[in-house]
Amino acid sequence: MSLPSAISAAAAHTEGLPTMLIEEAYKEYPKPEGIKFTYGTAGIRTKGDILQSSCFRMALISALRSKKLGGKMVGVMVTASHNLEEDNGIKAIDSRGEMLESSWEPYCTEAVNANSAKELIAVLDQLVKTCKVDLSVPALVIYGHDTRPTCPMLVKAVVEGLATMGATVIDAGLKTTPQLHYLVRAHNTQGTPDAYGEPTEMGYYDKLSKAFAKLVAGKPPKTTLVVDCANGVGAYALMQLQQHIPESLLKVRALRTDIKTRGALNDGCGADYVKTNQRLPLGLEKEKGIEAGQRLCSYDGDADRIVYYYLRGPPQQKESFRLLDGDKIASLAADHLNDLVKRAGVAIEVGCVQTAYANGSSTKYLEQRVPVTCTPTGVKHLHHAAERYDVGVYFEANGHGTILFSSEAQQKIHETSPSSPAAEDALEQLKSLIDLINQTVGDALSDMLLVEVILRTKDWDCQEWDSAYEDLPNKLLKVNVKDRFMFVTEDAERKLVKPEGLQAKIDELVAKYKDARSFVRPSGTEDCVRVYAEAGVAGELNSLANGVAKLVADFAA
Ligand code: G16
């Protein structure tokens, strides 16, 4: 069916679900046989060439979600973020620009696994009834995508799904994930007291760059920041951002910007590679100008994560590498905000949210300064926990995170009368930080500007930032198993309840090492089980991590 005729047919259908149109369109989007999809840590993620049916069905659900939210704009992002290029995925964005309300996730999983049009319609019907969706409300959905070769075909499936539901659509085109989150929030808050910014890509750069300019006024850059763009959409976004920030305020050298070469995305570069391998992006040590003291950072494939790093010696030596990951960013930001809040004399509290992956040293450091909460992996969990603080700093160790200012905190910051010039300066900084930080979701560009502002304000280099605490030696491993869903965790993923007996074996092993910790959890974005290990003695780390990985493999065999 052609799109315009589908749109008009569906638009005319306001009483119930457009079942005939769904049945018709379904023929093009049957579920691939023998595959079980799951709406996991960050939406649905698997090989890109088998995702069309999921994208079509997620579009149907997004239209329903918009209807449920009174016709507010919601978003759909086609990306597999940190995964390699052959993978792809789809994540739904709610009307305030945050992740999809978790009670809708099981419906997504059911819908993408439906084996017939009838089953699919039954799932949607159930959703409409249980969640009391008024089908007569018009739906508005914006969609965007990253640079993966499978994106055009998956976007087509999204468009067909939205047309089937008669939704009004906005094609955001190539975007970073956080940009799409920004656009949703900005659109829905336009003309209200909570207006988030102009709902355009240019509005996004404008908001960030103006706040940045205020915060670094009179503090010119002393160094060039080298950015590894993971050969992804971040390369494009950074180039645009540079058009808005003059070199006199920010000196950037963008590397790994090749979005055209097949297979280059996240390959040997990007935040995940650097964090997991605790080393420079492949081949960077040979680049001209990469030397000791150089400030470096890496985005991931959709620019929603960032990690920093620097070299203490020659780039060719492994030991020269020093990582400043999400934990270090959280510590830097929490400290800075705490200082500002105190200096400003505003009665608000800064809190921090981490996951089990947070390095033990970072948790110890933060707990001495602010309240700290631990949640399961996934920004959706951290985001909600951070909302409980006046100012909630949340970062996963992998560099995914942001800072939330509650409405009350923002009001207090805007209404407090400064008692001294120092208090006035702190208040002005807080006001600009509220604009600089993308509060919808972790955002590599916004987080990068935040780190630059703090380092510039403190007149620190990476080494001074790094000296806050020393990370405990740690290692992340992936174990490929037949069925990762047989691994079930509790206690914010710090303990396994299934398979039975495995946790006791892990505990037994960990007890043999000094100041050690290890946990195991199934990934929500890759087909593997992840093992994290930390040890007080560096020389013992590999033996512990490999030992736990072996236990996992043995239990899964
Ligand atoms: C996504 C999530 C993150 C999570 C990461 C890894 O990141 O948004 O919250 O930490 O996946 O998750 P898992 O260990 O379950 O595979 P991204 O950057 O890939 O969207």
Side-chain angles (χ1 to χ4, degrees):
M1 183 182 316
S2 74
L3 284 185
S5 58
I7 290 172
S8 53
H13 188 111
T14 53
E15 291 298 307
L17 284 166
T19 49
M20 277 168 61
L21 292 173
I22 296 175
E23 276 167 16
E24 181 65 28
Y26 182 92
K27 290 177 195 157
E28 263 193 73
Y29 299 107
K31 178 177 154 300
E33 271 178 38
I35 311 259
K36 165 117 172 68
F37 299 106
T38 309
Y39 197 97
T41 319
I44 293 161
R45 225 174 259 192
T46 183
K47 298 282 165 274
D49 56 3
I50 55 165
L51 262 174
Q52 278 160 294
S53 65
S54 297
C55 287
F56 169 73
R57 295 150 191 232
M58 281 301 298
L60 303 181
I61 294 201
S62 296
L64 292 177
R65 184 72 190 150
S66 170
K67 287 172 187 284
K68 169 67 193 169
L69 298 171
K72 288 208 176 119
M73 177 189 276
V74 298
V76 180
M77 180 72 192
V78 177
T79 177
S81 199
H82 77 273
N83 297 44
L84 285 176
E85 188 177 279
E86 62 184 19
D87 287 358
N88 214 328
I90 181 158
K91 348 189 201 191
I93 303 169
D94 252 354
S95 61
R96 287 194 304 140
E98 76 281 57
M99 300 288 196
L100 175 69
E101 148 84 43
S102 59
S103 64
W104 278 51
E105 291 181 7
Y107 294 104
C108 299
T109 298
E110 277 189 49
V112 295
N113 287 305
N115 282 309
S116 65
K118 208 171 146 210
E119 257 184 57
L120 174 60
I121 290 166
V123 174
L124 300 178
D125 246 335
Q126 188 62 45
L127 170 59
V128 168
K129 284 194 188 105
T130 317
C131 299
K132 299 191 174 62
V133 179
D134 179 351
L135 291 171
S136 67
V137 174
L140 175 59
V141 184
I142 188 169
Y143 56 91
H145 60 87
D146 71 12
T147 54
R148 284 161 211 268
T150 46
C151 281
M153 117 189 150
L154 299 180
V155 164
K156 182 171 170 280
V158 167
V159 172
E160 297 230 359
L162 295 173
T164 303
M165 293 298 289
T168 301
V169 296
I170 297 178
D171 177 4
L174 183 66
K175 289 284 170 294
T176 70
T177 294
Q179 284 176 340
L180 200 68
H181 285 253
Y182 166 91
L183 290 174
V184 171
R185 173 115 158 223
H187 176 91
N188 288 330
T189 53
Q190 243 181 132
T192 74
D194 297 329
Y196 195 59
E198 192 198 306
T200 61
E201 187 183 337
M202 288 307 134
Y204 165 89
Y205 298 122
D206 202 46
K207 181 177 176 188
L208 263 54
S209 55
K210 280 193 176 135
F212 182 74
K214 274 194 200 161
L215 285 157
V216 297
K219 302 175 197 105
K222 287 188 178 162
T223 181
T224 297
L225 174 66
V226 175
V227 185
D228 151 25
C229 299
N231 294 320
V233 58
Y236 158 79
L238 179 60
M239 212 171 72
Q240 299 298 318
L241 183 71
Q242 283 179 278
Q243 312 283 318
H244 287 72
I245 303 181
E247 249 202 279
S248 57
L249 294 185
L250 181 70
K251 279 198 204 136
V252 164
R253 178 178 167 207
L255 296 177
R256 305 298 180 264
T257 56
D258 180 1
I259 58 175
K260 294 223 166 81
T261 301
R262 279 289 186 103
L265 179 68
N266 292 328
D267 188 24
C269 59
D272 201 56
Y273 178 87
V274 171
K275 164 73 183 162
T276 310
N277 296 290
Q278 303 188 17
R279 56 154 295 162
L280 287 176
L282 268 185
L284 211 77
E285 67 282 0
K286 295 190 204 112
E287 297 267 354
K288 242 175 129 189
I290 303 298
E291 52 202 25
Q294 178 79 58
R295 193 183 295 177
L296 305 121
C297 67
S298 285
Y299 300 168
D300 72 343
D302 63 343
D304 62 358
R305 299 191 200 176
I306 187 169
V307 294
Y308 269 73
Y309 41 101
Y310 69 103
L311 298 165
R312 276 199 304 206
Q316 292 76 14
Q317 277 174 18
K318 199 175 176 289
E319 307 70 46
S320 301
F321 178 83
R322 294 286 298 181
L323 181 66
L324 297 154
D325 62 3
D327 296 339
K328 282 266 158 111
I329 298 176
S331 310
L332 181 75
D335 262 353
H336 186 61
L337 285 161
N338 225 359
D339 282 354
L340 286 178
V341 162
K342 282 189 192 134
R343 265 210 291 138
V346 203
I348 52 178
E349 189 183 45
V350 178
C352 194
V353 186
Q354 301 188 303
T355 70
Y357 288 111
N359 193 279
S361 299
S362 79
T363 309
K364 200 163 152 195
Y365 178 87
L366 281 163
E367 278 176 347
Q368 284 161 1
R369 291 158 174 85
V370 293
V372 179
T373 316
C374 180
T375 72
T377 301
V379 267
K380 57 188 178 189
H381 300 296
L382 289 102
H383 193 95
H384 291 310
E387 279 175 331
R388 289 182 213 120
Y389 294 116
D390 299 324
V391 180
V393 178
Y394 77 80
F395 272 91
E396 294 184 297
N398 62 24
H400 204 153
T402 186
I403 299 164
L404 307 181
F405 293 81
S406 72
S407 314
E408 296 74 36
Q410 295 197 34
Q411 201 178 339
K412 282 186 185 167
I413 289 167
H414 281 101
E415 286 172 0
T416 299
S417 311
S419 57
S420 66
E424 187 175 3
D425 173 58
L427 278 170
E428 287 311 310
Q429 287 193 50
L430 284 169
K431 285 177 202 165
S432 296
L433 285 171
I434 290 171
D435 284 341
L436 182 74
I437 295 163
N438 185 347
Q439 296 185 49
T440 61
V441 78
D443 182 335
L445 274 78
S446 159
D447 289 342
M448 174 188 85
L449 295 179
L450 170 69
V451 168
E452 292 308 310
V453 162
I454 303 178
L455 294 181
R456 212 98 54 91
T457 307
K458 293 184 180 292
D459 198 15
W460 276 4
D461 58 16
C462 282
Q463 206 158 347
E464 284 162 301
W465 169 16
D466 194 17
S467 66
Y469 61 84
E470 186 64 26
D471 270 333
L472 285 168
N474 62 91
K475 202 169 184 89
L476 259 171
L477 291 176
K478 291 182 199 178
V479 186
N480 294 314
V481 295
K482 259 188 278 159
D483 177 17
R484 68 186 145 123
F485 298 105
M486 68 184 272
F487 291 80
V488 181
T489 61
E490 65 175 13
D491 186 21
E493 301 179 320
R494 289 173 285 202
K495 288 217 162 337
L496 275 173
V497 280
K498 277 184 191 165
E500 255 171 58
L502 177 52
Q503 186 62 50
K505 291 272 182 208
I506 295 174
D507 292 344
E508 216 175 279
L509 184 63
V510 169
K512 294 184 183 155
Y513 296 86
K514 190 173 179 294
D515 294 332
R517 182 169 76 92
S518 178
F519 66 89
V520 168
R521 55 174 286 278
S523 163
T525 61
E526 294 175 56
D527 196 9
C528 67
V529 167
R530 298 199 197 279
V531 169
Y532 177 81
E534 214 172 81
V537 182
E540 295 184 347
L541 181 65
N542 282 343
S543 145
L544 170 64
N546 294 334
V548 175
K550 183 168 183 322
L551 285 174
V552 169
D554 289 349
F555 265 74

